[in-house]
């Protein structure tokens, strides 16, 4: 599906088959004999066909196209290398670019398995075999132009400022035309679904803290229309940001309740299996392993936040991290 939602700004809906996100909104901005594409789609047949059919029908010349990849996730980055091979120039935040490359490195997945084991999860050899980040990542090599916070990207009648919004990933970027009030929010602010805030390793803690700070940062901007990477356009960004802040406040209370209720120390898995998830599975044991890892990451980011704010405490035993309520 293609729609011109603002003058010379097209939304191209790219399907993400068998994924709960359903589809990715890529955005094409058309200038005078040049193009700017924001994000790409999974590196799989259905996404690729939809994207390239749309680009052809809009007469987009890859040689005259810059492609901004907002963050590492394969639904955004998957077709980056295909676009690059066709002649497009890639623009990415350097840390995210590094993480995109590591999606195809076994060591990255082994490290993630190691982290999940510290959560008390049972992780077998094939745990990540169905993970979309592993299957639909860009294959092969590419070069890119590094993007920095505050940098300006001009195209046609638009001028976009690069905004760094760590939280959903450590180096995700958004784009903001301040004069026109147009904001590309990637997976930072979404309508009707809440962005996953996970765990990025013990050297990258405080992701929920970072995410909430990034929400506050964006809340202060004069935004008229927000264009997210999934689901619908957001016409009331301030209200939606408030809802997301409220969501995490409730989530933190839920996690704190679970830790308190148990009365004894709990690990991340114990907490994740008791949390409320909007997923069609009968029980925690029936969660597909990618969903288990997302859920455990989400539990961990909230546990960390509670600990860092003195509401619970943590300790290590036999290479597993445990959380416990601080006695009054
Ligand atoms: Zn994402």
């Amino acid at each position: 599906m293609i729609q011109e939602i603002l003058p010379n700004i097209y939304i191209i809906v790219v399907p993400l088959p068998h994924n709960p996100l359903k589809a990715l909104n890529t955005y094409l901005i058309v200038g005078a004999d040049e193009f700017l594409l924001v994000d790409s789609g999974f590196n799989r047949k259905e996404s690729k066909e939809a994207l390239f059919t749309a680009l052809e029908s809009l007469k987009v010349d890859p040689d005259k196209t810059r492609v901004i990849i907002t963050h590492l996730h394969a639904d955004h980055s998957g077709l980056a290398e295909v676009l690059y091979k066709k002649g497009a120039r890639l623009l990415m935040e350097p840390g995210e670019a590094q993480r995109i490359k590591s999606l195809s490195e076994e060591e990255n997945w082994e490290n993630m398995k190691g982290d999940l084991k510290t959560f008390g999860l049972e992780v077998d050899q094939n745990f990540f075999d169905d993970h979309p980040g592993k299957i639909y990542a860009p294959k092969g090599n590419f070069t890119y132009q590094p993007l920095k916070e505050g940098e300006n990207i001009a195209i046609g009648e638009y001028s976009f400022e690069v905004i760094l919004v760590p939280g959903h990933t450590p180096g995700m970027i958004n784009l903001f035309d301040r004069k026109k009030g147009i904001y590309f929010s990637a997976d930072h602010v979404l309508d009707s679904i809440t962005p996953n805030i996970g765990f990025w390793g013990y050297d990258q803690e405080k992701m929920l803290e970072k995410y909430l700070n990034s929400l506050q940062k964006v809340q202060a901007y004069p935004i008229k229309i927000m264009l997210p990477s999934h689901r619908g356009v957001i016409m009331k960004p301030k209200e939606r940001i408030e809802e997301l802040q409220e969501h995490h406040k409730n989530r933190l209370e839920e996690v704190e309740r679970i830790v308190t209720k148990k009365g004894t120390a709990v690990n991340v898995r114990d907490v994740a299996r008791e949390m409320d998830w909007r997923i069609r599975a009968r029980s925690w044991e029936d969660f597909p392993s990618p969903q288990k890892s997302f859920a455990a990451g989400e539990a961990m980011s909230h546990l960390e936040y509670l600990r860092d704010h003195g509401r619970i405490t943590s300790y290590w035993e036999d290479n597993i991290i445990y959380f416990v309520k601080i006695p009054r």
Side-chain angles (χ1 to χ4, degrees), residues 290-303:
Q291 301 304 326
K292 256 186 200 162
S293 72
F294 294 139
E298 184 99 13
M300 181 58 172
S301 66
H302 288 76
L303 286 163

Side-chain angles (χ1 to χ4, degrees), residues 71 74 79 87 140-141 158 301 310 315 321:
H71 65 291
L79 294 167
N141 212 354
Y158 299 102
S301 66
Y315 67 91
I321 188 163

Side-chain angles (χ1 to χ4, degrees), residues 263-306:
T264 55
V266 286
N267 62 34
V268 182
R269 174 184 171 273
D270 298 330
V271 174
R273 58 176 296 159
E274 298 251 333
M275 287 169 77
D276 225 6
W277 301 106
R278 280 166 68 182
I279 170 176
R280 279 192 213 111
R282 273 171 300 160
S283 70
W284 172 256
E285 280 65 33
D286 292 329
F287 273 39
S289 58
Q291 301 304 326
K292 256 186 200 162
S293 72
F294 294 139
E298 184 99 13
M300 181 58 172
S301 66
H302 288 76
L303 286 163
E304 272 180 346
Y305 185 98
L306 290 169

Side-chain angles (χ1 to χ4, degrees), residues 73 165-170 172 187-190 194-200 204-212 214-215 244 247-248 251 275 277 293-305:
H73 287 148
V165 284
H168 176 65
T169 65
M172 188 163 73
D187 285 359
H188 184 45
V189 180
L190 299 171
T194 51
N196 175 260
I197 309 303
F199 183 72
W200 293 83
Q204 282 272 2
E205 293 186 63
K206 299 189 194 301
M207 287 310 275
L208 182 58
E209 185 101 48
K210 287 180 187 167
Y211 178 67
L212 294 174
S214 296
L215 278 183
L244 292 171
H247 166 81
H248 288 289
R251 249 341 195 183
M275 287 169 77
W277 301 106
S293 72
F294 294 139
E298 184 99 13
M300 181 58 172
S301 66
H302 288 76
L303 286 163
E304 272 180 346
Y305 185 98

